[in-house]
Amino acid sequence: MKGIFGWLWWASVAVAAALLMGDNPAIVTLFWPPWRVDLSFNLVVLALLAGFVLTYAAWRGVALLRELPQRARRWRALQHERATVGLVLQAQSHWLAGRYVRAQTAAREAIERLRQPQAPAPSWSGTLWVLAHLVAAESAHALGQRAQRDAWLQAALHPPHGDAAPEAREGVGLRAAEWALEAGDAAAAAQALAELPQGAARRIRAVRLRLRLAQLRRDTQGALEVARLLAKHRALSPEAAQTLLRGLWRDAVREAADAQALLAIWRGLQGAERHDPRRALAVLQRAEALGLASDGGVALPRVVDEAMRVAWSGYDQLSEDERQELVLRLEVWLARPADDGGWLGRLEQAQRRAPNDAALQYLCGQAFRARGLWGKAQTLLQQAARALPAGRLRRRAWVALAELAEQRGDAAAALQAWQEAARTDL
């Protein structure tokens, strides 16, 4: 289409020229005393056009001659830049291929070119400087040259052009933190992460490094917070996030030193985690390990009370082994001589809803026994002792029956119960 319009334009010009000059008797007279020169109008027009063309051509020729030195400098700068970029790409290619010595050689050549005083300094020369030093540092790290690697890193973080290539230098800082974490140097890793700009510190890669740093420092609570942040931004798959969070949370529970720390960890759960009976069971286990059940308090610790309610509400979600473990944990707390907070009523209702659940029979029997209701306790414990599989609950049921028989003076029943307890395999 453009070609058609071009031909139409030239045809229009030809028609206009033919109409103007084809039958034009006009004459241009020039007076230069004592001479008079008569010229055709068409000849004058052609002469003016030719003069304009020659003048413009001469002017352009002079301009091109004056630009020759600048064009030569641009050509040399372009050749220098192409050679430098080619060396950096070559160094990266060698590094990816595992040719670390060759990668260092190419990177050194690129750095020497960038260091030349007469070398041009385009806007992205700082990026080339950082990338060349980073490839050299990567190669030195792969070759085990720690001192050389650190020297390359420092040079990369301080380019000669000031604040050039901030993104590339942020990448160098992240890589330095990764190397420090691989070496187990928590202080160096923390320093590298602290030197990152605020925007870079919020990126997913930096947050992952903060998680590794917290794990290296055994800062379980900090690692848990960072892991929640990663899960919130979907930096981990849902399965991996849940596994990581569950593992870190259990580590935090195991490291809790007192009831307040345990309560803070429990209150830190979010959403559906607060209703997970397995997490509540872990809290009860840690509370018992801390000796909170034998502190002589009148009321249950707040963390224990909340964990007991959550674990009890999710009793049906637990496996058989987990149910028995929960029963053992609840037995410890329900045996305290304190206000049970309505637990005895809850146990009776649950036992009536599931009369064949031996674990519930055992728990109810022990709760009745702790409160002096020995008749009910003996009936439920006898049923539980016969129905429970071999294990800790069954043995404890027979031991409880033996102690009840001794209390009422039935030596034969006590002896039989002790024998059954001894025969029960753990």
Side-chain angles (χ1 to χ4, degrees):
M1 185 63 70
K2 289 179 63 177
I4 295 175
F5 282 109
W7 282 109
L8 289 176
W9 185 83
W10 282 112
S12 302
V13 171
V15 170
L19 292 175
L20 179 64
M21 304 175 67
D23 188 15
N24 189 2
I27 294 175
V28 176
T29 302
L30 298 177
F31 294 95
W32 188 273
W35 296 281
R36 171 183 172 176
V37 180
D38 294 328
L39 299 173
S40 170
F41 178 79
N42 293 342
L43 179 61
V44 172
V45 172
L46 293 176
L48 290 175
L49 290 175
F52 172 77
V53 171
L54 291 175
T55 303
Y56 179 77
W59 179 77
R60 288 299 301 164
V62 172
L64 289 175
L65 287 174
R66 295 181 63 182
E67 289 178 359
L68 280 178
Q70 185 178 1
R71 291 168 63 90
R73 286 194 298 270
R74 285 202 300 265
W75 182 83
R76 287 193 296 269
L78 181 60
Q79 295 302 314
H80 185 275
E81 293 169 10
R82 286 178 176 176
T84 306
V85 172
L87 286 171
V88 173
L89 293 177
Q90 184 180 9
Q92 289 182 331
S93 300
H94 287 317
W95 172 68
L96 291 173
R99 296 178 173 180
Y100 303 120
V101 176
R102 295 189 181 184
Q104 279 188 335
T105 302
R108 284 195 182 96
E109 293 181 9
I111 294 169
E112 290 299 326
R113 282 183 167 273
L114 291 171
R115 282 177 176 171
Q116 293 176 3
Q118 69 276 14
S123 58
W124 38 267
S125 60
T127 304
L128 285 179
W129 173 275
V130 175
L131 291 179
H133 282 83
L134 180 58
V135 173
E138 292 277 7
S139 302
H141 176 75
L143 294 172
Q145 301 170 351
R146 300 291 185 264
Q148 186 64 43
R149 180 201 68 187
D150 295 340
W152 290 123
L153 275 181
Q154 291 302 317
L157 292 173
H158 302 88
H161 303 292
D163 295 334
E167 296 84 2
R169 286 188 287 118
E170 291 169 4
V172 172
L174 291 172
R175 198 69 184 101
E178 287 182 359
W179 287 334
L181 289 173
E182 290 175 5
D185 191 346
Q191 181 180 359
L193 291 174
E195 292 176 353
L196 291 174
Q198 185 176 4
R202 294 196 299 265
R203 294 170 190 161
I204 294 299
R205 184 180 178 187
V207 177
R208 290 178 184 272
L209 293 177
R210 285 167 50 197
L211 173 61
R212 293 175 57 185
L213 177 60
Q215 291 176 323
L216 180 61
R217 288 175 165 177
R218 298 188 181 278
D219 181 10
T220 309
Q221 191 64 26
L224 188 59
E225 294 176 1
V226 177
R228 291 189 189 281
L229 183 60
L230 286 173
K232 177 181 177 181
H233 291 285
R234 298 181 180 179
L236 301 171
S237 64
E239 296 79 9
Q242 289 300 320
T243 302
L244 177 61
L245 289 173
R246 189 180 297 111
L248 290 173
W249 188 84
R250 290 185 180 277
D251 292 340
V253 169
R254 284 193 292 267
E255 295 173 3
D258 51 31
Q260 293 299 324
L262 196 60
L263 180 61
I265 295 171
W266 172 255
R267 293 286 177 83
L269 293 175
Q270 300 175 357
E273 296 175 347
R274 291 291 301 272
H275 306 285
D276 186 358
R278 293 175 177 83
R279 294 178 186 268
L281 178 58
V283 170
L284 293 176
Q285 291 171 338
R286 182 56 184 170
E288 183 179 349
L290 290 173
L292 301 182
S294 57
D295 61 358
V298 176
L300 291 174
R302 182 177 302 177
V303 62
V304 174
D305 183 56
E306 293 183 8
M308 287 174 62
R309 295 176 186 276
V310 172
W312 182 254
S313 63
Y315 179 83
D316 295 335
Q317 304 174 20
L318 301 175
S319 64
E320 187 63 31
D321 293 338
E322 290 172 336
R323 289 180 181 180
Q324 294 188 14
E325 185 67 23
L326 175 60
V327 166
L328 287 173
R329 302 284 80 78
L330 293 178
E331 176 191 351
V332 173
W333 297 102
L334 295 179
R336 291 160 52 97
D339 182 13
D340 62 7
W343 275 100
L344 196 60
R346 295 191 189 98
L347 293 177
E348 289 180 327
Q349 291 177 5
Q351 203 277 324
R352 283 197 294 269
R353 286 197 301 268
N356 296 325
D357 192 328
L360 288 180
Q361 291 174 351
Y362 168 82
L363 184 59
C364 288
Q366 291 287 30
F368 287 140
R369 175 172 170 249
R371 288 155 180 78
L373 303 175
W374 295 325
K376 291 183 177 181
Q378 181 176 356
T379 302
L380 290 173
L381 288 173
Q382 286 176 345
Q383 295 175 358
R386 296 185 181 93
L388 284 170
R392 293 178 61 187
L393 284 185
R394 185 174 181 179
R395 172 170 288 187
R396 292 175 68 87
W398 283 115
V399 170
L401 287 172
E403 293 174 351
L404 286 174
E406 289 177 350
Q407 288 178 358
R408 65 176 183 269
D410 191 346
L415 177 60
Q416 182 182 2
W418 284 117
Q419 290 175 346
E420 292 291 342
R423 283 195 293 265
T424 301
D425 296 329
L426 290 179

